């Protein structure tokens, strides 16, 4: 029974690692879609998200079975509980990226924003992709270093948010309010992707150290 349980945990970790890879690929492709108003990349994002949501449902079912039949304790219980929480965060990232892709689809054949603003949105997308890749490595190894006084990914996104705010303010006289609202929502979706990766990192530290996410150092200064 113990051997079977261990194999189930390994399979669960492998599934989560694959989900991280899918979110990374989706974030990369949505950035391509933003930059090039690329419908092919947009459709790929939709497909990746669909696959991600299917895997999320499978992970959820697997963790319920493990909890019900194996009644794990201590680190094993942390592993199972953390797994479903990480899967949930990855599911949220997939949904957010898909919303960005949907806006690219609706704006086609034009771009979602003027070039200066688009450059900032693309940088946000690349940051989200980089962060999901880092989270994927943490999930695969079961270890994540503390971020220090401030999570560098969250800080970088804050810098990009300020750049976007300045670009929107500069474009305000010639840009409809509805367009500015749409751009702000797109930026918010990408920012939230990074927030979800920060939560994944805290969950991995919880698995590794036993320190609950709420007791870990805050990501804010």
């Amino acid at each position: 029974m113990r051997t079977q349980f261990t194999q189930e945990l390994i399979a669960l970790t492998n599934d989560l690692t694959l989900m991280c890879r899918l979110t990374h690929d989706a974030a990369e492709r949505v950035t391509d879609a933003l930059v090039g108003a690329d419908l092919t990349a947009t459709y790929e994002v939709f497909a990746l998200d669909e696959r991600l949501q299917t895997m999320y449902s499978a992970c959820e079912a697997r963790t319920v079975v493990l909890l019900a039949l194996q009644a794990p304790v201590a680190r094993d219980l942390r592993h199972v509980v953390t797994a479903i929480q990480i899967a949930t965060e990855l599911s949220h990232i997939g949904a957010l990226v898909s919303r960005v892709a949907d806006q690219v689809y609706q704006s086609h054949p034009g771009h979602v924003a003027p070039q200066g603003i688009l450059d900032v949105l693309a940088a946000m997308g690349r940051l989200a992709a980089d962060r999901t890749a880092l989270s994927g490595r943490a999930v695969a190894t079961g270890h994540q270093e503390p971020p220090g006084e401030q999570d560098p990914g969250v800080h970088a996104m804050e810098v990009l948010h300020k750049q976007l705010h300045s670009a929107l303010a500069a474009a305000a006289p010639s840009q409809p309010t509805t367009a500015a609202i749409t751009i702000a929502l797109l930026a918010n979706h990408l920012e939230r992707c990074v927030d979800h990766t920060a939560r994944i990192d805290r969950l991995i530290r919880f698995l590794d150290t036993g320190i609950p996410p709420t007791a870990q150092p805050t990501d804010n200064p």
Side-chain angles (χ1 to χ4, degrees):
M1 289 294 292
R2 178 66 192 179
T3 300
Q4 180 183 353
F5 180 69
T6 301
Q7 290 174 343
E8 286 289 342
L9 289 182
I10 293 172
L12 190 57
T13 299
N14 290 340
D15 283 349
L16 290 175
T17 303
L18 177 55
M19 289 178 70
C20 287
R21 191 174 304 123
L22 292 174
T23 56
H24 169 261
D25 291 347
E28 279 198 329
R29 293 306 282 153
V30 85
T31 303
D32 293 338
L34 282 167
V35 171
D38 187 340
L39 275 188
T40 299
T42 299
Y43 293 141
E44 288 179 15
V45 174
F46 293 147
L48 286 164
D49 180 44
E50 183 177 358
R51 186 178 174 193
L52 183 64
Q53 301 310 327
T54 299
M55 289 198 69
Y56 167 66
S57 297
C59 282
E60 186 178 41
R62 173 174 279 169
T63 56
V64 169
V65 170
L66 286 174
L67 289 171
L69 299 183
Q70 301 290 346
V73 296
R75 181 180 172 85
D76 288 341
L77 179 59
R78 289 208 310 272
H79 196 146
V80 177
V81 171
T82 299
I84 188 55
Q85 290 178 303
I86 290 173
T88 301
E89 300 295 342
L90 292 169
S91 172
H92 289 329
I93 294 173
L96 289 166
V97 171
S98 187
R99 289 174 198 165
V100 176
D102 186 61
Q103 187 57 52
V104 174
Y105 175 82
Q106 292 184 43
S107 300
H108 188 80
H111 287 82
V112 299
Q115 190 60 50
I117 294 173
L118 195 63
D119 290 342
V120 182
L121 290 175
M124 288 180 165
R126 286 189 288 270
L127 178 59
D130 290 344
R131 294 292 294 176
T132 54
L134 290 173
S135 292
R137 287 196 284 273
V139 168
T141 62
H143 179 72
Q144 176 69 8
E145 295 291 341
E149 292 185 359
Q150 185 176 39
D151 186 305
V154 173
H155 175 67
M157 189 58 87
E158 289 174 352
V159 171
L160 290 172
H161 178 87
K162 292 177 182 177
Q163 292 177 6
L164 182 69
H165 180 77
S166 297
L168 284 172
S174 60
Q175 183 168 257
T177 302
T178 54
I181 292 173
T182 297
I183 293 167
L185 283 173
L186 290 176
N188 179 258
H189 294 334
L190 296 171
E191 288 179 71
R192 287 172 61 197
C193 288
V194 172
D195 290 340
H196 285 298
T197 63
R199 293 189 192 109
I200 291 171
D201 293 345
R202 289 196 291 272
L203 287 166
I204 291 298
R205 291 185 207 109
F206 168 57
L207 175 63
D208 188 28
T209 66
I211 301 173
T214 54
Q216 295 174 20
T218 178
D219 293 329
N220 296 319

